Amino acid sequence: MAVIAERDVVKGYGSKERPLLSELWSRDSRGPNAAMQARGDHQPNNRQIDYARYHDPAFFQQELDKIWNRQWLFACRDEDIPQVGDRVPLTIGPNSYFIVRSDTDSFKAFYNSCLHRGTKLCAKKEQAETIRCPYHAWEWNVDGRLKRIPSHWDFPDLTRLNASLPEVRLERWGGFLFINADKDAPPLLDALGPMPDHFAAFAPENRYTKARFRKLVRANWKITQEAFQESYHLYATHPEGVPFTGDSQSQYDIFTTPLGAVGREAVPSAVPSMHADSSATAHAAAMVAAQVQQMWHYPDATLPDIDPAKDVRAQLGDWLRQSYEQSYDRPITESDAVMIDSSLYFLYPHFTLWLSESVPFVYQFLPHETDPNLCYFDVRLLMPWREGEPRPPAAEPIEIGADESIAEKAPAYGFLAMIFDQDMSNLPLVQQGLKAANPAAPYSRLGAYQEGMIQAWHELIDRDLAR
């Protein structure tokens, strides 16, 4: 991996008619909030990434040892295991853990291995009053304390004092449960950086998983994540979005933290891309954005009558807030930015949460059990529910094979399922193509700004692997 000679970085490309995101946010009808005014504190300079790190088994093993065993990893949401005794497994490469609701508002994470002969204790989501090994019926309470060993007389050295299940650190934020196999790692809040403040009004803890899929992808976990860390690909991969999505006007920020970084990719909607032809207007872009949201989120709403002589984003933001309040019977005061745009917050190494009412997604990128050329891509649709009604149950994940269509298997994602399929179509080609590169120069040539988050993530990977 090589560093390119440093020079001034141009941070986006816009015009008076198609402004940069920072200009749009400065004119927000609700006023720019602290999250909108925040700027990253790191500019990476790491534009040549060695392709071997995407497929080399030795590099894959180093990642497992020095990243996945030492960072805070998104495991599940509290809503996934709503009853005491509920549990779900988490597989990270060859490593396996499971997370249990041990009391009404308490959770535990354990190594997924019986103390007797190593049998996996939790192979799928399940519920029971105890944790019981299927092989020889060794049994623990849901808080991990030993309850029973059949023929205990034959194991005199094991007692309730020394045979509890070994725990893995677990901490919570926003309804999300994170684990860390490193007992000496700094707390989760240190890793989250600005996210708790930026998401305070969004309140992910007061949402539910309306839909979820988990797809096997024929690409390394980094390649799959990198497909979403830049909007540069919109022009070629999602051309239907060019008239109403400002890809070249997007803003990228890297916020450093004690454990790594939080990266933010903020992409404006209701504004034409600089790649769009001259016929594309802000008014037309706002109307398309309204139609998309009506179709997906607010089917009972009447489309707005947006006046092109006035601020079209302010009018669209008002319509979206009104539609939200009518749908959920709860007030909302979020900015136009949160109602309209897509702000993706990436927490190193593998978790993404969208600060967006239009596209409220959660991403999780996980390495395959054994093969660096494969990974898992887990996507949740995190929605509010109607005030005064009970919280709906979390949707179970739809398993989607490497050659299966997301649009066909997960229709709840609407037109965005097609967008995901477009993204997925690129990834195997990237995984194959990087192996076919010129051996004299087997590395990427990344953009200085639009692909800066990819650069930053590889800087962090290098840092972790050097420890």
Side-chain angles (χ1 to χ4, degrees), residues 110 252 434:
F110 303 105
Y252 301 87
L434 55 83

Side-chain angles (χ1 to χ4, degrees), residues 35 37 49 71 360 378 464:
Q37 293 174 326
I49 308 300
Q71 290 287 341
D378 193 309
D464 285 354

Side-chain angles (χ1 to χ4, degrees), residues 244 269-270 283-299 301-306 315-317 319-320 323 340 358:
F244 66 95
S269 187
H283 176 259
M287 288 306 302
V288 171
Q291 291 164 5
V292 168
Q293 292 306 308
Q294 181 200 47
M295 177 177 62
W296 197 31
H297 291 323
Y298 309 117
T302 301
L303 283 172
D305 183 14
I306 293 178
Q315 295 173 76
L316 177 60
W319 177 77
L320 287 168
S323 299
I340 298 171
S358 293

Side-chain angles (χ1 to χ4, degrees), residues 238-310:
H238 313 301
E240 60 282 330
V242 168
F244 66 95
T245 306
D247 54 336
S248 61
Q249 301 101 292
S250 298
Q251 179 176 306
Y252 301 87
D253 293 287
I254 307 297
F255 303 94
T256 57
T257 72
L259 275 82
V262 170
R264 179 176 66 184
E265 173 194 2
V267 184
S269 187
V271 60
S273 165
M274 290 297 289
H275 294 293
D277 63 36
S278 58
S279 66
T281 66
H283 176 259
M287 288 306 302
V288 171
Q291 291 164 5
V292 168
Q293 292 306 308
Q294 181 200 47
M295 177 177 62
W296 197 31
H297 291 323
Y298 309 117
D300 297 329
T302 301
L303 283 172
D305 183 14
I306 293 178
D307 183 349
K310 299 179 180 178

